[in-house]
Structure formats: structure tokens, C-alpha cells
Amino acid sequence: MGSGNSVNANYKYSLQKSENAFKAAVLIQQWYRRYVARLEMRRRCTWRIFQSIEYACEQDQIKLHNFFSYLMDHFTPSSSKERDFISRMFISGESFKEAELEKYCDYESLEVPDSYTGPRLSFPLLPDHATALLEAFKQKQQLHARYVLNLLHETRKHLKQLPNISHVSTCYSEEVTVCGDLHGQLDDLFLIFYKNGLPSPSKSYVFNGDFVDRGKQSLEILIVLFTFLLIYPKEVHLNRGNHEDHMVNLRYGFAKEVMQKYKVHGKKILKMIQNVFCWLPLATLIDQKVLIIHGGISDTTDLDMLEKIQRNKFISVLRGKKRKESNRNVEIQELNGETKVEADPPGSETAPSLPLQPRPSQAPSMANKLEFSRWVRQTVQEQIDWCRRLVDISESEDEELTYSSVVSLTDLDKPCWTRQEECKQILDILWSDPMPQEGCRANTVRGGGCYFGPDVTEKILEKHNLQFLIRSHECKQEGYEFCHNRKVLTIFSASNYYEIGSNRGAYVKLGPDLVPHFVQYQANKTAHTLTMTQRQGFPVALVEESAFRALREKLFAHTSALISAFKAYDKDNTGRITLSNWATAVESVLHLGLPWRMLRPQLVRSTADGMLEYKSWLNDLAMEQRSQEHIQSSLLEVIYRNRSNLETIFRIIDRDHSGLISFEEFHQTWKLFSSHMNIELTDDGINDLVRSIDFNKDGNIDFNEFLEAFRLVKQSQ
Amino acid sequence: VAEVEKKIIEAFEVFDHEGSKTVDVREIGAIVRSLGCFPTEAELHELLSKVEEEEPTGYIHLEKFLPVMTTVLLDRSFRPIPEDVLLHAFEALDEKKCGYITKEELVRYLTEE
């Protein structure tokens, strides 16, 4: 049975072969899955880095409060010049009466030269104007300042008539499209219009805030949105976001963008925009069933209150009280025979009778969220209250007077809420974030608003008979995300927000059935040509590099603190510590809540036997910054660590938004800052600073250039 | 050992969206692998049975995961097989000996029982 044998042999052979194949397949699978898992881990770590740095930056606001309060406490102006200087930090801008505003931001006198080739607008606007604008912006043209101001005036007039909560109905225009944060990324807006169509009588849009800051075309986005708002007032709805706020704009780039694009009229434009932002509606309601707000809600959110407050009083929610601008109050005052006098800048004299600034204690690590939240809730509330009380001093009387006048002259059943309660309502709506745990606690990371849990959501939905909430405010990798049992939808429309390839943008469409349909996109040609890793939706290596660069800069900015922390683990002064101690030390200094052991291979190049020579590691980090060897290293650190706050302070001082401050003002700022930071900085030291970077422009200092000099250079491998 | 535990906790927390010390059971594979292990699917299932609750909820608690994973790392289970063996594996599947296998073939092999 020779053939039988060979059949047997064949059978055995093929069995062996398939067994081998199976083993081989399993092996390959093992390797492949490990590769994928590692990629996933890297992706998540990168995301965490970006997020924690982004939110930690928002904590800078708290530091700024500290600095201002420090000034109040410790600084006695020795000359009127100094007093003026200080007082300027506390008035971020005068509020204008209607007539003054018109006069100041007048556009009619602006001549448009014949040589101007950009779009020319006439009012009332027509759809052709919109298409002309879109086309012009695609060609990178700029709209003449006259038209910008005109547009802003008309927009403001229109917005003033709108209620705090816009109402949209799906029976008129079958579908409503809701878009989230755009943050100056005009390409994304173009993509949305391309995929979804322009706004029209049959195409309704709701834009949920954060149109500006961070991206480079914030102004263009505003122009486009406002244009469509005026052409299709029934179909286009805008919600205010936390970035529609002057104080935030000073820090995050919008103010800078406007001044760079409009050197002569930029200041007027910014002023107008301030007065447009405060008139933006706070929320939108679709079919009385879906509530759209930018940030979120809190357990004290009261829609009835929100409907009734005078939203325009709050030019910037972060600064607390602003001088009242509402027309009604002005009228009352005139009726009462008062002349509106510009009150003395509050805080210009350090008043010893003021309540002592509560000293914030050391912040616990961000990783322990509960403790951290308790600390910040205390600190932030104290600071805000204190700053408000300070600014309130000269105005508290005014307020009572006016309110009582209002009550007596108008409807008697109008409830009197305190300014603080109203401010909190708006703050919560614009700054809050959802959290998975139940309850409601202060949003410590951002410094404003709350973290709200599913129970808070449930209560609000039930109270007002709503189906779900739509909000934005947080970047999501897929452009959208549900939480709270699908009762809260986050929609984010700025793709590649952290870095090219970091995330998709998305918009959501709702029909009369109120079932959400999503469309995702990613605006960037290069993003499409990425390799296999892109199938994960996230080109890990590219984005990772960006994240780590930011992280390294942060590490550098804390060099001295890190050295102290390392030394604590290196009692024998060997210059080395274990990697484990390294991780603990770094977290204790930076408070970012990041998985340092996971990130270590990317941050620490080489280690011998599990020990790290920390001094040389820190030196390597320092090598990456531009050649500022002659600047004292501790000073350098301070600059890096506080760059964002320094920038904000400079911009506040630079009232005419020229990008320049006088040498004297620069000098003053440094003296104050260095004493607050406990750094020795002599006059010579400051002069050295100025000279070495050579940004002196006839006695004025271009602080943009100054700040640019302090950025880590891209590490070339 | 403390160091190993810290590493495990860090990796766990990266996948712990809610800060609740639990992760979705489907993420365990990624966590184990990113800690440097190369388990097969079968080995992973075995591990899962050790860390799951008596009545599987779809979530794994850190307190159950930590001891099991610590043992895995200290025992150096699931070590990778060296790269040349991996090469052999590819060669074994490459019937026609042409130096490559197509995507379809690979998918077929990997998804067959």
C-alpha cells in the first residue's frame, strides 16, 4: 500500500505545515498587537500632554490675580507716574457710552482708496457680498478697515435686539447645523461650508462660540460669521464663547492678530469688537428641546435668570466688574441729574483700609483632583472676590442707586440679583466642563466655571423639559463626543487643533426628529498623505514630537525647582538619581498629572544602569533655547515660566495696542515682577536684557519681539 | 517591586478615562502590551479570567489587576521571541518563497481559527 503510505505521509506533512502556519500566524499576531498597543499608548500620552499643558496655561490666570494682588498689598507708588502705571493695570479699558462709541469708532471718515482691490461692502448686506468676502479671503485679501468697522457697528445694532437665549425651530428650515469651536481656523470654516453648504433660508446654522484666538484668521472668521448673521438673521445664530472676551484675547492671540493686520485702525476695531462680543447671545434653544451653550452648566444654572440679565454688562467675565454701559442705566443717571464722571481709577492708591489679600497656599498636585479642586476653589474664589471688592469700592454705591432707580421707574417685579450672581451664571455657561462623577465642583483647572456631573445634567433637562445639551469648549479627537449617557454632546470644529493630525473637526445636523447626524473632517492636505499610523486617525510620531517639545520647554522653565527636588533624593550629592525618583520629583514640581514613567524614554535620552545624571540632563534641555547665555539663568527661567502672564501684562499696559511700550514702562514692569518673583534684578540687569536682545526701537520696546526671543528652538536631530 | 507597581498604575491610569480606577476590559490587552509584554490572545484570555470580577461587568478594577500584572512582570512572562524567529514565521507563511506575503494572505492567516 505504497500509495496509502504516501497519502499518510502527505497528510502528515500538510498537517505539520498548517500547524506551522498557525504558529507563525500567532507569532506575527503577537508582535503586531504589541506594536499597535504601543502606538495607542503613545497616542494617549501625547493627547494627555497637550491637554494638561493647555489647561495648566489657563491656570496662569490665577497667577495673574496673585500678581495684581501682590501689587495691591506691597507696592506703594512713590510717584504719580508709578501710580498711573499701576492703575493702568486695573483698568483694562474704559467702557463707552453709545454716542462716544460711535464717535470713537467712526468709520465714515475713513477713505477707501481707489487702489483698494478687496471687497466693498454696502449695507444692508446681500448674499453677493458674502460670496465676495469668501472669495477674497481665499485669495488672502484683507477687508478695508472702514468696512470692518461698519460691519461691526451693524452687527452690534442687530445683536442688541436679540434676547439672551436664541430660539430656533426646525419646522422652518428642516435641518439645523451646529458647529463648535473654530479658534481662528478659517480653513475649517471653508471646509464646513463646502461640505454642508452656505447659510441660506433653507440652511440654518448655530455657531457655538470660541470663534477667535489661537488660530491665525480669527478676524476673518468673525467677518464671515457676522456677514452671514446680518444677511440671514433668522437662520444664523451665534453663541458667546469664553474666548469672546477681551482679557482672554489679550493672552491668546486675537488682540495681537488684529493689531498686526490693521496697524492704524486696529485699536478701534478691537474696541468695537469688545462691544460686539458682550452683546452676543448666551445660549440657543432648538425646538425648546435642545439647549446649546458653549461651556456647560452648573448646579446653580437658572435659565430664567439667564434670560433676564443684561448680558452686555459683562465685557469680560474674568475681570469681574466692569463699569456699567447699559443704556438704561445711563438714561437713569441723566434723569437723576447726575453727570457721568469717570471715576478715579480704582486701586490707584493702595488703601490700607482694604481687606488683606488672602495668601494662597502651595497648590497640591493636579493628579489628586479632589485636593486640588478644594485648594483652587478656595484660592480662585478668594482672589476673584477680592479683586472684585477692590474694583467695586468706588462703584458699589452707584449700583444700589441705579438699581433702585430702575426699580422705581420701570417694572416693579423685576428681581434684583447681585452682580456676582449674574456673573457666576455667565461664567458657568461659558467655562464649565462635564465630568463623569456625580455632583458639581469648581473648575480648578480653568480657573472659572464648574465641573458638572450627570446628575446636574439630568436635573436641568428635567426642569426645563429638554432632551439633551450641546456644548463645545473641549477638543475631542473625533471632533465630537457624547457623555452623561448621551445627554451631553461636545462638538468641536477646529481640526488639527494641537498639531497637524491631532484631531478631526466635526459638525452636527439636527432635523425635526432631533436625532444628531455627524460629519467629520480634517483640514490639511498634508494630513492626508501621512503613513500607516494615520489609519489610527492620529500620526503619532509627528504630533508626539510637538507635544514633547512643549513639555521640554515646561521642564526647562522649572529648572531650579527641579534641581532642588532632585537634590532631595540625592543626599550624598552624587549627581545621580534613580529613574523612579526622577518621575516622582518631576510630578511634584510640574503638577501636570502625567504618566512620567511612560514618557521617560522620550524625555531622557540615555541612562546608565537605571540612574540619571540630572544636571547634564537639565543642561541638555537648556541647550535647546536660543542663545541667551549672557542672561542670568534664573531670570531666563522666570521668563519662560511666566511668558504668558508677562505677555498679558504688557498688552494691558500697551493701551494703544501698538506692540510697543516705553522703556520706562518695561523697566517698571520688570521691577515689580522681579520683586514679586523674588529675583534679584538690578537696573543693570534690566538694561542688559534690553541690550542683549536688541529690540529697542527709539526708546520703545517691541515686546512681541522680546517674547519671541524666549521660545525653545525646534530640536534638530 | 514598588517601582514595577508604579509603572503598572501609570499605564492603567492612561486608559482610565474617568479617574475611577477602572478600565474597559477591551483595553487590558493594550495596557499589558504597552508594559512590554507579548501575550498571545489565548494567554491574554487567561489573564483576563484572573482579573475579572466574578460576574464580568465589562470593567476591570485596578486592585485586581495590579497584583496579577506585577507577578507577570516580575516573572517575565510573555517575553518576546527574538526577531529572527519572527522572520522565520513570515517565511513559513510565504509558500511561494517570493520574499513577501500580500495583505490579503496575512489577513487570512491571522483571522483563521
Side-chain angles (χ1 to χ4, degrees):
Chain A
M1 303 248 272
S3 57
N5 265 339
S6 72
V7 166
N8 254 344
N10 271 340
Y11 179 67
K12 267 198 185 146
Y13 174 68
S14 59
L15 196 62
Q16 179 72 47
K17 215 172 127 216
S18 64
E19 238 183 70
N20 275 343
F22 181 71
K23 279 194 190 155
V26 167
L27 184 63
I28 295 176
Q29 197 186 53
Q30 263 178 288
W31 274 80
Y32 176 71
R33 297 223 163 148
R34 148 100 167 132
Y35 171 71
V36 170
R38 272 197 67 218
L39 217 55
E40 178 63 19
M41 177 58 94
R42 281 165 69 192
R43 182 184 74 74
R44 283 174 192 250
C45 283
T46 306
W47 192 259
R48 288 273 292 254
I49 294 175
F50 275 130
Q51 274 203 316
S52 64
I53 291 186
E54 174 181 13
Y55 297 154
C57 184
E58 301 194 345
Q59 281 177 46
D60 275 353
Q61 203 68 29
I62 300 175
K63 281 202 232 160
L64 203 55
H65 277 303
N66 288 353
F67 177 54
F68 287 161
S69 52
Y70 169 83
L71 288 182
M72 293 269 87
D73 251 359
H74 293 106
F75 189 69
T76 316
S78 54
S79 67
S80 60
K81 254 194 188 167
E82 284 189 334
R83 191 186 59 204
D84 285 340
F85 178 74
I86 296 287
S87 70
R88 286 217 280 184
M89 296 224 205
F90 293 89
I91 326 274
S92 80
E94 313 89 56
S95 56
F96 280 70
K97 283 199 290 197
E98 192 74 28
E100 277 174 23
L101 192 65
E102 299 258 326
K103 210 175 84 179
Y104 176 70
C105 300
D106 159 62
Y107 54 87
E108 307 221 332
S109 57
L110 264 58
E111 288 275 329
V112 182
D114 290 331
S115 55
Y116 170 71
T117 53
R120 291 164 187 263
L121 305 180
S122 58
F123 292 80
L125 288 172
L126 298 168
D128 280 346
H129 290 125
T131 31
L133 270 175
L134 288 173
E135 203 37 55
F137 288 154
K138 285 202 181 114
Q139 311 291 336
K140 311 276 190 234
Q141 285 182 321
Q142 195 166 290
L143 185 65
H144 193 275
R146 181 204 170 104
Y147 299 124
V148 178
L149 288 168
N150 202 349
L151 175 65
L152 292 173
H153 270 278
E154 295 297 317
T155 305
R156 184 163 173 271
K157 281 208 295 222
H158 172 74
L159 289 177
K160 279 171 86 168
Q161 309 160 23
L162 298 180
N164 292 349
I165 303 184
S166 307
H167 289 265
V168 180
S169 171
T170 52
C171 42
Y172 296 127
S173 55
E174 298 107 42
E175 237 176 11
V176 180
T177 306
V178 182
C179 300
D181 293 27
L182 285 166
H183 281 302
Q185 298 186 186
L186 188 60
D187 284 341
D188 283 314
L189 187 58
F190 282 154
L191 241 188
I192 296 174
F193 285 159
Y194 176 71
K195 285 169 102 71
N196 198 45
L198 296 177
S200 71
S202 56
K203 198 148 248 124
S204 284
Y205 272 92
V206 177
F207 290 95
N208 199 14
D210 276 13
F211 318 121
V212 300
D213 280 330
R214 295 207 166 101
K216 302 260 185 292
Q217 292 172 293
S218 302
L219 191 54
E220 282 78 12
I221 289 201
L222 279 190
I223 294 173
V224 170
L225 291 182
F226 290 160
T227 303
F228 277 117
L229 176 72
L230 294 177
I231 299 176
Y232 301 112
K234 291 210 205 68
E235 287 80 22
V236 176
H237 306 269
L238 306 178
N239 279 350
R240 188 174 183 185
N242 63 307
H243 278 260
E244 275 69 57
D245 180 324
H246 185 59
M247 279 302 285
V248 180
N249 296 150
L250 286 178
R251 182 190 293 275
Y252 288 106
F254 179 48
K256 184 167 159 186
E257 179 192 322
V258 173
M259 291 314 301
Q260 278 174 350
K261 291 182 176 166
Y262 291 89
K263 299 194 183 357
V264 179
H265 301 288
K267 195 177 166 202
K268 282 187 195 174
I269 294 179
L270 275 180
K271 192 82 223 164
M272 265 316 291
I273 289 180
Q274 261 187 291
N275 287 281
V276 170
F277 280 167
C278 64
W279 277 108
L280 284 169
L282 300 170
T284 301
L285 209 53
I286 301 186
D287 289 349
Q288 305 282 60
K289 288 269 162 232
V290 180
L291 179 65
I292 310 179
I293 58 259
H294 174 74
I297 52 177
S298 76
D299 52 0
T300 54
T301 294
D302 180 352
L303 288 187
D304 299 313
M305 196 197 289
L306 273 172
E307 277 192 317
K308 300 207 174 83
I309 57 186
Q310 290 176 289
R311 66 182 190 270
N312 63 297
K313 287 196 292 198
F314 303 92
I315 292 194
S316 167
V317 226
L318 284 184
R319 264 307 211 73
K321 199 172 165 116
K322 287 265 144 277
R323 252 171 299 147
K324 291 178 285 297
E325 191 200 12
S326 108
N327 284 339
R328 198 193 280 165
N329 290 336
V330 167
E331 284 163 26
I332 302 299
Q333 282 179 325
E334 282 169 4
L335 276 168
N336 285 345
E338 284 175 61
T339 43
K340 189 147 173 86
V341 175
E342 235 179 64
D344 251 344
S348 55
E349 277 100 25
T350 47
S353 56
L354 286 173
L356 262 179
Q357 167 58 33
R359 277 264 151 264
S361 49
Q362 175 65 25
S365 158
M366 229 174 90
N368 184 345
K369 293 200 164 91
L370 202 55
E371 232 181 84
F372 193 61
S373 91
R374 244 183 257 136
W375 171 78
V376 182
R377 189 208 314 248
Q378 197 191 16
T379 308
V380 170
Q381 202 48 52
E382 282 172 354
Q383 304 286 2
I384 291 182
D385 286 351
W386 194 83
C387 277
R388 276 220 198 97
R389 258 177 284 149
L390 219 49
V391 182
D392 274 355
I393 294 281
S394 57
E395 301 191 56
S396 50
E397 286 173 35
D398 267 4
E399 162 129 59
E400 281 167 41
L401 228 117
T402 331
Y403 257 120
S404 58
S405 311
V406 169
V407 167
S408 60
L409 281 163
T410 55
D411 39 340
L412 284 161
D413 54 355
K414 180 177 166 130
C416 277
W417 295 294
T418 66
R419 184 105 187 180
Q420 213 154 323
E421 285 175 332
E422 294 182 349
C423 191
K424 181 175 194 297
Q425 286 290 323
I426 300 189
L427 205 61
D428 288 342
I429 293 283
L430 299 186
W431 287 79
S432 300
D433 291 314
M435 67 173 174
Q437 300 88 358
E438 305 229 316
C440 186
R441 53 170 213 254
N443 193 324
T444 62
V445 176
R446 295 197 194 254
C450 302
Y451 285 123
F452 62 98
D455 52 334
V456 179
T457 304
E458 197 54 49
K459 248 176 61 182
I460 275 259
L461 293 180
E462 223 185 274
K463 180 171 176 197
H464 298 279
N465 205 3
L466 304 168
Q467 271 180 27
F468 60 97
L469 303 176
I470 301 183
R471 43 89 64 175
S472 306
H473 199 39
E474 282 181 302
C475 181
K476 297 293 174 191
Q477 212 191 313
E478 293 300 318
Y480 72 95
E481 192 175 276
F482 278 106
C483 65
H484 291 189
N485 209 6
R486 287 184 84 90
K487 297 280 172 64
V488 173
L489 167 64
T490 302
I491 187 89
F492 195 84
S493 301
S495 66
N496 306 318
Y497 180 60
Y498 291 125
E499 179 57 80
I500 296 178
S502 67
N503 65 291
R504 293 202 173 90
Y507 56 86
V508 58
K509 299 161 77 83
L510 296 170
D513 55 359
L514 297 181
V515 171
H517 295 279
F518 298 96
V519 178
Q520 296 167 297
Y521 52 84
Q522 205 150 6
N524 194 304
K525 298 184 201 59
T526 53
H528 293 303
T529 58
L530 291 164
T531 59
M532 179 255 183
T533 50
Q534 190 225 343
R535 232 175 280 149
Q536 316 289 338
F538 188 87
V540 179
L542 234 82
V543 191
E544 214 181 21
E545 195 200 313
S546 188
F548 278 102
R549 201 177 334 131
L551 200 53
R552 281 198 294 273
E553 194 179 287
K554 260 231 161 345
L555 286 167
F556 170 73
H558 290 86
T559 303
S560 349
L562 282 171
I563 291 194
S564 320
F566 291 153
K567 284 210 169 121
Y569 286 104
D570 178 26
K571 296 279 162 58
D572 302 330
N573 215 359
T574 62
R576 287 144 53 89
I577 50 167
T578 66
L579 292 172
S580 173
N581 288 335
W582 172 84
T584 322
V586 173
E587 176 58 29
S588 72
V589 170
L590 288 196
H591 299 302
L592 286 175
L594 290 175
W596 295 103
R597 286 169 191 83
M598 291 271 125
L599 303 175
R600 202 252 319 141
Q602 306 269 29
L603 291 171
V604 177
R605 292 294 156 196
S606 54
T607 62
D609 63 3
M611 301 283 284
L612 168 69
E613 302 212 354
Y614 51 88
K615 287 212 176 113
S616 55
W617 176 66
L618 285 168
N619 270 341
D620 288 341
L621 279 181
M623 287 307 175
E624 290 173 21
Q625 41 90 22
R626 295 193 194 171
S627 55
Q628 312 292 6
E629 301 102 20
H630 30 266
I631 298 190
Q632 193 190 351
S633 64
S634 56
L635 178 58
L636 207 54
E637 244 190 85
V638 168
I639 296 177
Y640 267 97
R641 200 158 58 233
N642 294 281
R643 191 177 53 226
S644 169
N645 275 342
L646 275 174
E647 178 166 1
T648 308
I649 293 174
F650 284 146
R651 286 195 193 286
I652 294 177
I653 294 171
D654 174 28
R655 275 165 135 202
D656 42 6
H657 298 288
S658 55
L660 304 171
I661 57 175
S662 76
F663 180 70
E664 183 147 350
E665 290 167 330
F666 181 82
H667 204 113
Q668 284 284 24
T669 308
W670 270 108
K671 281 185 98 167
L672 295 175
F673 213 71
S674 57
S675 70
H676 173 52
M677 292 284 145
N678 277 326
I679 302 227
E680 300 251 329
L681 192 58
T682 60
D683 284 353
D684 280 345
I686 300 182
N687 289 337
D688 278 345
L689 252 186
V690 177
R691 229 176 294 127
S692 68
I693 306 180
D694 188 36
F695 41 67
N696 200 339
K697 301 205 160 104
D698 355 284
N700 282 322
I701 297 189
D702 182 334
F703 60 80
N704 282 318
E705 268 189 51
F706 171 76
L707 293 167
E708 272 310 309
F710 297 97
R711 286 191 188 275
L712 278 188
V713 180
K714 185 171 171 140
Q715 194 182 41
S716 44
Q717 290 290 34
Chain B
V1 174
E3 184 54 20
V4 166
E5 287 191 338
K6 281 194 196 147
K7 256 190 138 172
I8 297 172
I9 295 175
E10 258 193 11
F12 191 88
E13 283 180 346
V14 173
F15 288 85
D16 176 8
H17 300 279
E18 315 187 343
S20 53
K21 304 261 188 263
T22 58
V23 299
D24 193 312
V25 64
R26 291 164 290 181
E27 319 257 42
I28 290 291
I31 300 177
V32 171
R33 290 180 170 114
S34 58
L35 283 166
C37 300
F38 287 72
T40 62
E41 284 305 296
E43 289 166 334
L44 201 57
H45 278 165
E46 218 187 288
L47 188 112
L48 269 174
S49 62
K50 288 191 206 157
V51 297
E52 268 181 333
E53 310 289 324
E54 290 81 36
E55 300 196 7
T57 57
Y59 287 97
I60 306 292
H61 279 277
L62 177 59
E63 32 184 47
K64 282 210 147 174
F65 182 70
L66 186 58
V68 175
M69 195 62 216
T70 309
T71 317
V72 165
L73 284 183
L74 290 176
D75 292 347
R76 297 171 175 277
S77 332
F78 314 141
R79 292 259 92 191
I81 303 177
E83 280 175 23
D84 48 354
V85 179
L86 181 65
L87 194 56
H88 281 307
F90 274 101
E91 286 170 356
L93 294 182
D94 179 13
E95 300 195 354
K96 302 184 212 110
K97 300 286 172 240
C98 35
Y100 63 83
I101 48 176
T102 66
K103 188 174 81 166
E104 291 78 23
E105 286 175 335
L106 187 59
V107 169
R108 188 162 48 86
Y109 280 120
L110 289 178
T111 51
E112 259 175 9
E113 280 301 304

